[in-house]
Amino acid sequence: VIAMSLHSQLLKWIKKNAETHLELLCKFLALPSVTCEKQTAKQCASWLGTLMQQYGIETKVFEAQGNPILVGEKIIGQNKPTVLFYGHYDVQPAEPLEDWVSPPFSPDIRDNRVFARGAADDKGQILSCLLALRALDDLSVRPLANVKFLFEGEEEEGSPHLAEFVEEHRQYLKADFAIAVDGNRHYSDKPTLIFGVRGGLWVELSINTSQREFHVSYEDVVPNAAEEVTRIISSLTASNGLVTLPGFYDDIIPPSQTEQRWLEDLRFDSNVLASESGRQDAAQIDTVEFYRKMMFSPTLTVTGVSAGYVGSGTKAAIPTRGMIKVDIRLAPNQDPDKILESLNKHLGDVCPEASLKLISKLPPSRTNVELTSVKQFICTFVEIMGNDVILIPSFGGSGPHYVFLDILKVPFVWMPLAWSDCKAHGANENLSVTSFQQGIEIVATLLTSLGIEKLHKDVPNIDPRP
Ligand SMILES: [Zn+2]
């Protein structure tokens, strides 16, 4: 009898258990673990912890300051490398509920997709990982690496307690390589790896001009909060579109040769952008420049403004209060505190009456893609998925990347298992059943391919993607 290859055994196992896996996913999705719903989030964490224990993963549920944090491990041997998987069990609020075809916390399977809040972001992806370990167990295959899991319950609110937790449990979480199973693939839906995030700085600028509303006839002598708001906003950008804050573009590091090559390989769907954004000349956008700016340059975006009367009819009074919401994204190596200071000083110069409130901040972070272990990981991924993988130097958005890179000091890569049309954060979020099953296949195959020689062997001149 010829032994079936591991891969075909795996596919057979996934197919044989497909219905059970979907039932399990639906149970997970029916627990409404919206980040701010502490009680249901806790129930969800305990459900997940029990499942991990059942799968032979030694699991601890830490009652942290916020929602519980789960840490699990399956140790194969002390001389084996260790891979840490990161994900989150909390979900975004589901409102507005009337936009959903089926209720967000009553999972519904149709068109070969599971519709529910959290299906793609991130419960389905977490479950793919756990089932991969389960598969290897069932097939009596030992992974080549020790496996650890870190699942948090506050990712959707910016992971406020993750850094502190990882700092405290650094020894326990020690790993050679860390992978986030979160986010979604490039729009082409080809297998995607992402190596960094931009930093974020979220602030509120508010202004309170007069103690009472004056009649508009006082226009020449009384300050107008609505006009101050527009003056502040226009002071933030020059006519060439560049941000005027002193030092805003300092400390930026350009893409490395490898990153530049990846940028040049990235495709971009200008038709979709043209139709969805109303920008008719989208085809003229220089793709490489667009991606370079999105990943390697900072931005300042006014995301909300309020001032004065905007109800029906008119109101003949001078506005007294105004507010501006600002979202700043920072390139790797930039310091959020330095930019915050610059903004504060600028505000003092332009409008001393205005005040600044910091909502939250997150440092930028990018994994060094020249590291041998990172190149080896890419090679293994390419071996498994084929040459057609998409390598993205950085997200344009932000995430807790620095927690792994700077605190845990482990190379960190995002390996999204969900497809691009999963509608994460929106109504009718869904996970394609095929991507769910493929997730199990990818993680299981990875765990049987990532040997110690792969993660540590010195291969200085390897080209990750020939
Ligand atoms: Zn997520």
Side-chain angles (χ1 to χ4, degrees):
V1 180
I2 299 162
M4 232 196 302
S5 78
L6 170 62
H7 191 241
S8 47
Q9 284 184 59
L10 186 59
L11 293 184
K12 211 174 147 194
W13 184 89
I14 292 170
K15 203 172 160 191
K16 190 181 87 192
N17 296 294
E19 214 158 298
T20 322
H21 294 164
L22 282 176
E23 277 168 24
L24 192 64
L25 176 60
C26 290
K27 276 188 195 152
F28 194 10
L29 293 171
L31 302 165
S33 51
V34 179
T35 323
C36 59
E37 305 284 344
K38 302 295 170 206
Q39 210 44 47
T40 36
K42 203 170 164 178
Q43 281 164 12
C44 184
S46 119
W47 183 89
L48 180 59
T50 308
L51 181 77
M52 288 164 73
Q53 289 283 10
Q54 277 170 13
Y55 284 6
I57 301 161
E58 204 178 297
T59 306
K60 287 186 190 167
V61 182
F62 289 90
E63 295 293 339
Q65 235 185 315
N67 293 331
I69 296 180
L70 289 94
V71 178
E73 64 177 17
K74 184 142 191 174
I75 302 299
I76 308 301
Q78 288 310 322
N79 58 342
K80 300 282 180 198
T82 301
V83 179
L84 170 69
F85 287 94
Y86 161 79
H88 61 94
Y89 65 83
D90 64 317
V91 301
Q92 287 272 324
E95 283 79 8
L97 299 181
E98 61 272 24
D99 289 356
W100 288 77
V101 173
S102 51
F105 297 108
S106 307
D108 186 35
I109 304 174
R110 52 182 194 272
D111 310 325
N112 199 37
R113 283 168 188 269
V114 183
F115 287 84
R117 169 58 84 232
D121 186 15
D122 186 33
K123 288 176 174 172
Q125 303 199 45
I126 287 186
L127 196 57
S128 283
C129 271
L130 297 175
L131 286 170
L133 217 59
R134 177 76 171 169
L136 296 182
D137 240 15
D138 262 13
L139 300 171
S140 306
V141 177
R142 266 159 68 96
L144 290 179
N146 300 315
V147 186
K148 292 186 181 177
F149 297 100
L150 171 63
F151 298 141
E152 68 155 317
E154 295 179 308
E155 194 275 345
E156 301 294 6
E157 283 186 358
S159 310
H161 300 104
L162 186 66
E164 197 188 330
F165 179 84
V166 170
E167 179 92 60
E168 258 173 52
H169 300 85
R170 210 185 311 193
Q171 207 47 40
Y172 193 58
L173 292 165
K174 206 167 173 297
D176 297 280
F177 205 85
I179 302 168
V181 279
D182 193 11
N184 53 264
R185 288 179 174 186
H186 178 254
Y187 77 86
S188 63
D189 276 335
K190 290 176 183 166
T192 305
L193 296 177
I194 305 142
F195 297 84
V197 296
R198 286 200 294 184
L201 189 58
W202 295 273
V203 295
E204 228 173 68
L205 312 179
S206 49
I207 176 151
N208 212 330
T209 46
S210 312
Q211 284 178 13
R212 67 169 183 89
E213 277 185 323
F214 284 84
H215 186 270
V216 289
S217 53
Y218 284 82
E219 169 66 17
D220 284 343
V221 287
V222 170
N224 179 330
E227 288 169 9
E228 287 301 309
V229 159
T230 57
R231 210 166 57 77
I232 294 171
I233 293 174
S234 58
S235 78
L236 293 170
T237 357
S239 55
N240 59 4
L242 292 178
V243 175
T244 53
L245 298 183
F248 192 71
Y249 298 97
D250 286 0
D251 307 327
I252 295 171
I253 32 179
S256 71
Q257 263 184 13
T258 307
E259 288 166 336
Q260 181 65 28
R261 205 153 38 86
W262 294 355
L263 282 182
E264 284 164 15
D265 280 352
L266 282 179
R267 293 291 157 260
F268 162 77
D269 196 340
S270 54
N271 291 328
V272 170
L273 185 72
S275 70
E276 291 181 353
S277 71
R279 180 170 170 162
Q280 292 316 315
D281 66 344
Q284 266 87 62
I285 292 175
D286 179 337
T287 306
V288 181
E289 187 57 9
F290 162 70
Y291 280 126
R292 192 195 58 75
K293 278 191 180 160
M294 179 192 276
M295 299 173 197
F296 293 89
S297 189
T299 48
L300 184 151
T301 309
V302 172
T303 53
V305 177
S306 75
Y309 178 73
V310 289
S312 57
T314 61
K315 183 180 182 188
I318 298 174
T320 60
R321 281 188 295 275
M323 209 242 271
I324 309 167
K325 295 253 186 199
V326 180
D327 177 315
I328 294 175
R329 298 302 163 118
L330 300 168
N333 202 42
Q334 289 194 296
D335 177 1
D337 291 323
K338 236 166 117 176
I339 303 291
L340 184 64
E341 203 186 302
S342 175
L343 177 61
N344 220 342
K345 189 169 174 302
H346 174 85
L347 201 62
D349 293 344
V350 176
C351 184
E353 304 77 41
S355 61
L356 182 152
K357 183 176 154 202
L358 173 68
I359 308 293
S360 67
K361 60 179 178 177
L362 212 55
S365 182
R366 201 163 71 223
T367 298
N368 177 1
V369 299
E370 311 296 341
L371 284 176
T372 302
S373 58
V374 177
K375 286 181 173 178
Q376 284 291 11
F377 175 77
I378 299 170
C379 286
T380 308
F381 191 70
V382 171
E383 263 170 45
I384 297 172
M385 307 304 303
N387 260 330
D388 217 11
V389 304
I390 305 274
L391 303 172
I392 302 180
S394 174
F395 280 113
S398 309
H401 201 90
Y402 80 100
V403 171
F404 298 89
L405 215 63
D406 301 337
I407 300 177
L408 205 54
K409 303 206 185 302
V410 59
F412 188 59
V413 171
W414 298 76
M415 183 179 75
L417 302 173
W419 291 354
S420 60
D421 61 351
C422 63
K423 300 200 170 79
H425 294 204
N428 304 310
E429 176 180 349
N430 65 85
L431 183 70
S432 129
V433 173
T434 313
S435 75
F436 175 53
Q437 294 173 339
Q438 209 181 58
I440 304 172
E441 183 192 337
I442 292 170
V443 175
T445 314
L446 205 58
L447 289 176
T448 52
S449 317
L450 265 185
I452 192 161
E453 62 290 347
K454 287 267 170 64
L455 282 171
H456 292 313
K457 203 167 72 181
D458 193 28
V459 277
N461 292 317
I462 196 162
D463 186 335
R465 191 173 48 170

